[in-house]
């Protein structure tokens, strides 16, 4: 007698889960129900079903991400998956996630049963590549460190409702002691604490990372988000920085993004290790053709798993870069405008006083000079020279203020037509302190300098690329900026004569928070932001580099962006 089909229903609505259980048990199926994706992963580790019926809108991890996790595991990727979607989710969300079929929740029971029966007919006994006990699905473990019992209780309740395993610590030392004895996937640290602040906690966690069985993500929480606090936190080793008073959905999204990458990396390493072990066993048990066939089959599965991991990482990188870009660009214009305003007020006071001194000196000089000695006359001439030099310096500062104001207006995110040359020149003025007379800048602009774009965002890309080029040059060197155009794109190239980018990190330079600079000299966000901005322009950004011979970044922006942005 054939066994009954095993079906797992992942549905957070108790009413919907009960109805689904009655419907499937009426078909003779063995049914288990869970309310969250995290609980589903725990059950998959114990007993993989023949069919998983997954609701798209789940708390914490959405149904499409659960599908991707199932497909990433070699032991569960053969499970049939039926996605239940709301009307607004649609077929795309159901199938692009890796589900075998989808049914709208508004469909009647007869249609649902037809879909389920069709999927169950496809079920076959599958020899798993990995043993069920080796499936590494587990509930994510999170620790929150905060000296506020009220906020700790709130965080614990919210995170547990998302299916996470949560522990709390009321001080930095207590949290560090827990980390030394237990494994966690993510740690939330409050920036301001009485006995040990969040910065010191992050530094100590960074020093402990080599002792951890698996990597741990650290998110700094603060009640008042400032640029200085963000910089200190990231340099201390935090992976992300979130305002406590902001939307809780942002914190949940940040946690999920960091955990997603770590689980994918762990799964990939585990698959590689298991496949290596299986290959050795196969080679010992078989010889000749049989061993070669087994090796080829496992290699194909590894290639497929790596391709899926790379695609998941690419989507994560794009999402994270866009999120960072949105937050950073929202405040950049205000910051620059504020700086220009703060400089302008004392500047006006100094200019006014300088004018008063020059005017007064011009008035008394004709009467006083006939009565002055040569030494006094020489001193008066020296005073005039100093006043003239001061006036020239103030003129340069006024020019800088004008450029700051121009830059802050460009950063409003408005879509308009700009002069590429003027935009790059404005950035070069702001970065003049980095050049410091040691770097020669060559500019070769195409006669057609007009480009329709999101002016402020593209200006940020120029700022990041030119600043990186200046940082890459040790001592004296040269930066060459070239603009050109093709039939369908406008190209901007930034080439430097710096140290170049080592080959082994070129594939990671656009990853958020990745940097090869010493601590305190960068957060690793510049190129990630630039990548996201260029993607928003439907364009591309490429890099060519040779160690010891410099690097060249090339941006291509479509010339028909005006029509594309409405697609």
């Amino acid at each position: 007698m054939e066994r009954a089909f095993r079906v797992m229903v992942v549905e957070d609505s108790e009413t919907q889960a009960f109805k689904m259980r009655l419907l499937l048990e009426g078909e003779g199926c063995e049914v288990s129900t869970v309310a969250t994706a995290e609980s589903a992963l725990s059950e998959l580790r114990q007993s993989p079903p023949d069919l998983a019926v997954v609701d798209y809108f789940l708390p914490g991890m959405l149904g499409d991400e659960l599908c991707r996790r199932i497909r990433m595991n070699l032991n569960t990727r053969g499970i049939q998956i039926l996605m239940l979607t709301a009307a607004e989710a649609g077929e795309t969300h159901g199938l692009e996630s890796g589900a075998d079929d989808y049914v709208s929740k508004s469909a009647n029971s007869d249609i649902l049963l037809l879909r389920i029966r069709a999927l169950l007919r496809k079920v076959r006994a599958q020899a798993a590549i990995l043993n069920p006990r080796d499936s590494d699905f587990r509930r994510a473990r999170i620790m929150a460190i905060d000296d506020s019992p009220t906020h700790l209780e709130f965080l614990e309740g919210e995170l547990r409702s998302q299916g996470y395993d949560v522990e709390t610590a009321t001080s930095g030392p207590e949290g560090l002691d827990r980390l030394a004895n237990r494994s966690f996937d993510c740690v939330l640290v409050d920036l301001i604490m009485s006995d040990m602040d969040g910065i010191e906690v992050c530094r100590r966690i960074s020093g402990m990372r080599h002792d951890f069985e698996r990597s741990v993500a650290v998110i700094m929480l603060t009640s008042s988000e400032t640029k200085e606090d963000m910089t200190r936190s990231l340099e201390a080793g935090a992976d992300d920085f979130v305002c406590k008073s902001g939307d809780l959905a942002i914190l949940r999204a940040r946690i999920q993004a960091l955990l997603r990458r770590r689980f994918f990396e762990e799964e990939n390493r585990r698959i590689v290790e298991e496949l290596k072990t299986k290959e050795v066993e196969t080679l010992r048990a078989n010889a000749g053709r049989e061993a070669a066939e087994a090796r080829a089959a496992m290699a194909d599965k590894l290639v497929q798993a790596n391709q899926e991991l790379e695609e998941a990482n690419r989507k994560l990188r794009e999402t994270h870069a866009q999120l960072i870009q949105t937050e950073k660009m929202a405040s950049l214009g205000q910051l620059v405008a504020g700086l220009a305003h703060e400089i302008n007020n004392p500047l006006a006071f100094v200019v006014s006083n300088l004018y008063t001194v020059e005017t007064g000196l011009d008035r008394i000089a004709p009467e006083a000079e006939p009565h002055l000695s040569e030494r006094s006359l020489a001193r008066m001439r020296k005073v005039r020279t100093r006043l003239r030099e001061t006036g020239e310096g103030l003129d340069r500062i006024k020019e800088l203020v004008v450029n700051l104001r121009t830059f802050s207006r460009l950063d409003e995110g408005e879509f308009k037509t700009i002069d590429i040359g003027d935009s790059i020149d404005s950035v070069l003025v702001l970065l003049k302190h980095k050049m410091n007379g040691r770097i020669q800048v060559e500019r070769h602009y195409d006669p057609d300098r007009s480009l329709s774009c999101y002016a402020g965002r593209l200006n940020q890309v120029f700022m990041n690329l030119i600043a990186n080029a200046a940082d890459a040059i040790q001592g004296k060197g040269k930066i060459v900026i070239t603009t050109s155009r093709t039939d369908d794109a406008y190209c901007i190239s930034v080439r430097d004569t710096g140290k170049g980018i080592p080959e082994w990190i070129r594939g990671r330079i656009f990853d958020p928070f990745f940097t090869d600079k010493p601590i305190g000299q960068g957060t690793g966000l510049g190129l990630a932001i630039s990548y996201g901005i260029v993607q928003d322009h439907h364009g591309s950004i490429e890099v060519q580099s040779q160690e010891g011979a410099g690097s060249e970044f090339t941006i291509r922006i479509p010339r028909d962006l005006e029509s594309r942005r409405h697609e």
Side-chain angles (χ1 to χ4, degrees):
M1 181 177 180
E2 293 186 359
R3 66 170 178 83
F5 289 115
R6 294 193 301 272
V7 180
M8 179 175 65
V9 177
V10 189
E11 170 63 72
D12 61 326
S13 167
E14 293 183 4
T15 303
Q16 293 291 336
F18 181 71
K19 290 181 178 178
M20 187 64 66
R21 175 186 285 276
L22 291 180
L23 186 67
L24 291 168
E25 288 180 344
E27 291 291 304
C29 298
E30 295 179 2
V31 183
S32 62
T33 61
V34 292
T36 66
E38 295 283 353
S39 300
L41 292 175
S42 297
E43 182 160 321
L44 284 171
R45 179 183 176 90
Q46 303 300 323
S47 178
D50 300 304
L51 169 68
V53 180
V54 180
D55 181 23
Y56 179 80
F57 291 104
L58 293 171
M61 185 191 304
L62 292 177
D64 61 345
E65 186 169 340
L66 172 60
C67 288
R68 294 188 182 98
R69 292 285 302 277
I70 293 174
R71 294 298 185 230
M72 281 295 298
N73 189 290
L74 294 181
N75 195 54
T76 60
R77 61 174 46 195
I79 294 174
Q80 300 292 320
I81 301 176
L82 175 66
M83 179 75 76
L84 296 180
T85 63
E88 61 269 22
E91 182 175 0
T92 301
H93 283 78
L95 299 181
E96 286 186 352
S97 64
D100 298 285
D101 205 345
Y102 91 103
V103 175
S104 172
K105 280 193 171 182
S106 61
N108 61 46
S109 300
D110 292 337
I111 293 177
L112 179 60
L113 279 176
L114 286 174
R115 298 283 191 181
I116 290 174
R117 289 166 184 163
L119 291 176
L120 290 176
R121 282 196 297 269
K122 299 176 183 179
V123 173
R124 295 291 184 270
Q126 301 181 27
I129 292 179
L130 306 182
N131 295 323
R133 58 184 173 79
D134 293 331
S135 299
D136 199 28
F137 289 133
R138 56 183 175 80
R139 187 188 297 255
R141 185 177 296 120
I142 298 177
M143 178 169 62
I145 305 175
D146 196 327
D147 59 358
S148 168
T150 304
H151 191 249
L152 270 184
E153 183 178 355
F154 170 75
L155 274 180
E156 183 178 11
E158 288 293 328
L159 295 175
R160 286 190 184 278
S161 70
Q162 303 301 310
Y164 297 120
D165 185 3
V166 184
E167 292 190 18
T168 61
T170 57
S171 68
E174 180 185 357
L176 293 171
D177 184 65
R178 295 268 187 91
L179 275 171
N181 294 285
R182 295 196 61 186
S183 296
F184 292 90
D185 301 295
C186 183
V187 178
L188 309 181
V189 184
D190 187 24
L191 178 63
I192 306 299
M193 293 187 289
S194 57
D195 56 344
M196 180 187 295
D197 66 11
I199 299 297
E200 182 59 25
V201 173
C202 281
R203 290 197 183 100
R204 297 199 182 186
I205 292 176
S206 296
M208 298 165 61
R209 288 184 189 271
H210 64 279
D211 295 327
F212 295 153
E213 293 181 3
R214 54 177 177 263
S215 60
V216 56
V218 180
I219 299 179
M220 184 72 76
L221 303 179
T222 178
S223 57
S224 58
E225 184 175 2
T226 66
K227 178 182 177 182
E228 291 76 14
D229 287 340
M230 178 181 293
T231 301
R232 291 169 57 227
S233 300
L234 296 177
E235 289 176 351
D239 297 284
D240 214 332
F241 185 93
V242 179
C243 183
K244 291 168 66 174
S245 61
D247 186 358
L248 189 62
I250 294 178
L251 176 60
R252 290 197 296 265
R254 296 292 185 83
I255 292 173
Q256 190 59 58
L258 290 172
L259 291 180
R260 182 188 300 121
R261 167 164 288 190
R262 277 157 175 76
F263 283 148
F264 280 171
E265 291 173 348
E266 289 178 13
E267 184 68 13
N268 192 47
R269 287 195 298 269
R270 190 179 64 83
I271 290 172
V272 171
E273 292 172 359
E274 182 67 20
L275 289 175
K276 287 180 178 178
T277 302
K278 289 294 182 181
E279 182 178 12
V280 171
E281 293 174 356
T282 301
L283 288 172
R284 289 175 178 173
N286 303 284
R289 182 182 58 83
E290 293 181 356
E293 290 176 351
R295 188 163 54 248
M298 287 187 288
D300 289 341
K301 291 185 180 295
L302 178 59
V303 169
Q304 186 177 357
N306 280 334
Q307 289 174 346
E308 292 176 359
L309 176 61
E310 180 60 30
E311 177 64 16
N313 279 337
R314 183 186 66 79
K315 290 182 179 179
L316 174 62
R317 182 171 64 241
E318 292 177 358
T319 302
H320 203 169
Q322 290 169 1
L323 180 61
I324 293 169
Q325 174 239 319
T326 300
E327 294 179 349
K328 298 292 284 184
M329 293 300 293
S331 61
L332 182 59
Q334 297 176 353
L335 173 63
V336 174
L339 288 173
H341 177 74
E342 292 299 323
I343 294 174
N344 191 59
N345 288 341
L347 178 63
F349 177 76
V350 173
V351 170
S352 175
N353 285 347
L354 180 64
Y355 176 77
T356 301
V357 172
E358 287 180 324
T359 303
L361 187 61
D362 289 340
R363 288 176 178 174
I364 66 173
E367 299 177 5
E369 285 179 351
H371 306 288
L372 297 176
S373 65
E374 285 298 327
R375 184 176 181 182
S376 297
L377 289 173
R379 287 180 176 176
M380 182 172 288
R381 286 192 295 271
K382 187 174 182 180
V383 169
R384 287 182 180 275
T385 300
R386 291 292 177 84
L387 287 174
R388 184 175 64 256
E389 292 173 349
T390 302
E392 292 172 354
L394 290 173
D395 288 340
R396 288 195 294 271
I397 295 175
K398 285 191 287 184
E399 181 183 0
L400 175 60
V401 171
V402 170
N403 279 285
L404 283 170
R405 286 177 168 172
T406 301
F407 186 80
S408 67
R409 289 195 295 271
L410 283 174
D411 197 44
E412 294 170 355
E414 179 184 0
F415 187 88
K416 60 184 179 181
T417 300
I418 64 169
D419 184 308
I420 284 288
D422 288 348
S423 183
I424 294 174
D425 290 345
S426 175
V427 169
L428 287 172
V429 171
L430 294 175
L431 293 176
K432 190 174 181 180
H433 66 284
K434 277 186 173 289
M435 310 304 177
N436 198 25
R438 65 185 179 85
I439 299 176
Q440 176 187 357
V441 179
E442 289 187 8
R443 286 165 276 191
H444 305 285
Y445 298 151
D446 189 272
D448 183 357
R449 294 166 42 157
S450 298
L451 176 64
S452 296
C453 62
Y454 295 99
R457 297 181 181 180
L458 199 59
N459 212 59
Q460 180 66 39
V461 175
F462 299 154
M463 173 75 76
N464 292 341
L465 295 186
I466 296 173
N468 280 358
D471 290 339
I473 297 174
Q474 305 293 332
K476 294 187 176 182
K478 181 167 64 176
I479 296 176
V480 180
I481 304 172
T482 305
T483 67
S484 60
R485 55 180 178 150
T486 63
D487 291 338
D488 56 359
Y490 204 104
C491 305
I492 304 100
S493 163
V494 179
R495 176 165 53 87
D496 64 69
T497 59
K499 61 183 179 181
I501 304 172
E503 184 176 359
W504 65 276
I505 65 170
R506 286 176 202 163
R508 302 179 58 195
I509 60 174
F510 294 110
D511 289 351
F513 303 112
F514 176 79
T515 178
D516 63 342
K517 296 178 182 178
I519 293 178
Q521 296 185 20
T523 62
L525 296 177
L527 289 179
I529 292 174
S530 300
Y531 181 88
I533 294 172
V534 174
Q535 289 291 308
D536 284 346
H537 282 77
H538 300 276
S540 64
I541 179 170
E542 301 172 355
V543 59
Q544 292 182 341
S545 183
Q546 183 178 354
E547 289 191 61
S551 306
E552 180 177 12
F553 285 81
T554 302
I555 308 165
R556 291 180 175 84
I557 304 296
R559 297 178 67 185
D560 60 347
L561 187 60
E562 175 67 37
S563 60
R564 289 196 186 191
R565 73 190 186 101
H566 297 297
E567 294 179 356

